[in-house]
Amino acid sequence: MSLMIEGGRRLSGDLTVQGAKNSVLPILAACILSGDVCVLQRCPHLEDVDTSIDILRHLGCAVRWNGPDLEVDSSTLTRWDIPDRLMRRMRSSVVFLGAILARCGQAELSYPGGCAIGARPIDLHLSALRTLGACIREEGGSLDCTAPCLTGAEIVLSIPSVGATENAMLAACGAEGVTVISNAAREPEIVELQCFLNEMGASVEGAGSSTVVVEGGRVLHGCSHRVRPDRMVAATYLCAAAGAGGSVYLEGADYRQLSVVLSVLQQAGCRIRSDEKGIRLRSSGRLSAVAPIRTSPYPGFPTDAQAVMMAALLRSRGTTVFVENLFENRYRHVPQMQRMGANIRTEGRVAVVCGAEELRGAPVRATDLRGGAALVAAGLQAAGVTRVEETHHIERGYSDLVGDLARLGARISRSET
Ligand code: EPZ
């Protein structure tokens, strides 16, 4: 499967932003804590969500779509293992570990897969669960975990890892007593997980700050939750319009969650107006270089927006330096962008982008989720036709990239080859 893009058209119009992938994945794992029916309203339909559904069904849960809503009944859960073939399909399969342990007192799974953006260890996840009393044996890539009685404790994360914070929160809900997670990740997805857990009857406080406190041992129940809009999908469309030029309004996009990205786009010359309902961006399509962009945990510049911001700046006036601090292999889109005439040099964690006069359409390959989306954004500004191959990476996180961009006036289509 590939995408064909005829570049050179400005983007204009309104879009409603899909529900957030990185919120819904831990929430799907959290559903099993309730032993009841949970409804996720406006759940995005994505490859990674399908993988979570396959895991839930394997565990014995009943899962069904009801229009845009997903219903998960975990009262019928009978298993505590996840087969390797499901674990390998995405990184987020590992957040099921904390939830299964809290519900069943044991779990059997293997190391997770996910985008190839660098080494992605799970040592912090395992150490947090061990602190709560889990006994975890690692053997030949498989994890055999038992925790007949999890006990609340103080967990200090050496890095504010998003996934490890989520796993600790999920397991702590099933632990007796109080758990304090220090140096917790502060991402909006952590806040949404806290909100969902509390809707199920849990007691979690502090998400959004670096200390999260969970009072465990409560009896949980089903709930209905509306999934919040995806800040990275919003960032992708803002950067796509910034680079191609035009005027777009993204309904549901939250300016508070995107303040650093919006400030860079403004610095580059875009005009931005935000209100409680969404964000409007206007761009001439010819941006200016900006001060160095250094990725860092929230509320810093998000690593997930690095590639799409680079795409926006490929034809800018001047030179912009990127420093990728989260993952060591997150410039895999660069050689693909170079095929389109982009002027980028990389060394280790640094990429230097000198604005090119023109980009030319070329056949390129999506190497990971956000890098793939960035190639589409580059194709929208390029003269001629860009073919983006291996689009399954993009489908892991965007429910309708082609439809959304076509609605904004892009010439983009799917090709079976
Ligand atoms: C989440 O991944 C996101 N995924 C990623 O989005 C995102 O890039 C990342 O957070 C950073 O913001 C989901 O939410 C599903 P981390 P996660 O644990 O939780 C190191 C996308 O495109 N680390 O916060 O896996 C790690 O190597 C995806 O949607 C350890 O050393 O990220 C990294 O350098 C890609 N040991 C840093 O921490 C551990 O046990 C942050 O990773 C865990 C992490």
Side-chain angles (χ1 to χ4, degrees), residues 62-387:
V63 188
R64 67 182 185 105
W65 286 99
N66 191 358
D69 303 342
L70 189 68
E71 204 176 284
V72 179
D73 179 355
S74 66
S75 64
T76 49
L77 182 137
T78 47
R79 306 179 65 122
W80 48 81
D81 66 302
I82 304 179
D84 191 46
R85 72 185 156 79
L86 293 177
M87 286 302 293
R88 278 173 192 273
R89 268 164 54 183
M90 65 170 184
R91 164 84 177 172
S92 266
S93 50
V94 76
V95 293
F96 276 89
L97 178 55
I100 296 177
L101 273 182
R103 171 89 189 261
C104 307
Q106 54 192 322
E108 279 169 41
L109 30 82
S110 49
Y111 280 86
C115 277
I117 53 180
R120 297 181 77 184
I122 56 166
D123 54 317
L124 301 176
H125 299 240
L126 301 186
S127 138
L129 299 174
R130 283 183 173 124
T131 306
L132 295 175
C135 173
I136 304 175
R137 274 197 308 134
E138 302 172 64
E139 223 174 86
S142 63
L143 299 165
D144 193 352
C145 317
T146 47
C149 180
L150 293 169
T151 312
E154 174 153 19
I155 296 171
V156 183
L157 297 174
S158 55
I159 301 172
S161 153
V162 176
T165 304
E166 292 165 347
N167 239 331
M169 288 164 76
L170 294 170
C173 284
E176 282 305 320
V178 175
T179 296
V180 178
I181 308 167
S182 302
N183 198 24
R186 298 165 59 190
E187 268 71 0
E189 292 74 29
I190 304 290
V191 177
E192 191 165 354
L193 179 62
Q194 166 177 287
C195 177
F196 180 75
L197 290 168
N198 288 342
E199 283 162 356
M200 288 199 300
S203 168
V204 187
E205 281 177 12
S209 79
S210 46
T211 308
V212 175
V213 181
V214 182
E215 205 186 304
R218 298 229 177 165
V219 178
L220 305 187
H221 49 73
C223 68
S224 184
H225 175 84
R226 192 172 170 80
V227 181
R228 296 183 190 158
D230 194 309
R231 63 192 173 103
M232 288 311 146
V233 170
T236 302
Y237 294 153
L238 291 170
C239 289
S247 168
V248 296
Y249 181 75
L250 300 183
E251 198 186 317
D254 187 338
Y255 65 89
R256 285 162 292 232
Q257 298 180 348
L258 286 165
S259 53
V260 184
V261 172
L262 296 179
S263 129
V264 172
L265 287 169
Q266 254 164 345
Q267 222 188 100
C270 299
R271 278 175 296 148
I272 292 169
R273 281 174 74 108
S274 310
D275 57 33
E276 287 305 312
K277 292 207 176 105
I279 302 174
R280 172 169 299 284
L281 173 141
R282 289 194 176 84
S283 164
S284 66
R286 206 61 203 253
L287 304 182
S288 307
V290 295
I293 296 175
R294 298 182 174 85
T295 67
S296 66
Y298 192 84
F301 190 93
T303 172
D304 291 350
Q306 174 256 108
V308 290
M309 185 60 81
M310 190 179 286
L313 294 169
L314 290 177
R315 294 183 307 129
S316 60
R317 281 182 296 266
T319 300
T320 301
V321 173
F322 286 78
V323 184
E324 171 56 58
N325 290 310
L326 271 290
F327 296 104
E328 75 268 21
N329 195 13
R330 217 168 184 184
Y331 289 135
R332 295 178 73 212
H333 48 279
V334 167
Q336 306 298 315
M337 287 175 169
Q338 285 165 337
R339 293 175 66 125
M340 302 172 72
N343 185 351
I344 311 170
R345 276 171 296 130
T346 56
E347 193 170 325
R349 293 182 178 272
V350 177
V352 180
V353 178
C354 298
E357 246 337 281
E358 190 188 61
L359 296 179
R360 301 175 301 275
V364 290
R365 198 165 53 81
T367 52
D368 61 273
L369 167 58
R370 307 297 168 192
L375 295 176
V376 173
L380 294 170
Q381 322 164 28
V385 175
T386 296
R387 180 193 186 95

Side-chain angles (χ1 to χ4, degrees), residues 1-3 332 364-369 372-373 375 387-396 415 417:
M1 187 73 88
S2 50
L3 298 181
R332 295 178 73 212
V364 290
R365 198 165 53 81
T367 52
D368 61 273
L369 167 58
L375 295 176
R387 180 193 186 95
V388 181
E389 290 163 12
E390 301 197 23
T391 53
H392 57 276
H393 290 291
I394 298 175
E395 278 146 22
R396 292 189 38 219
S415 149
T417 53

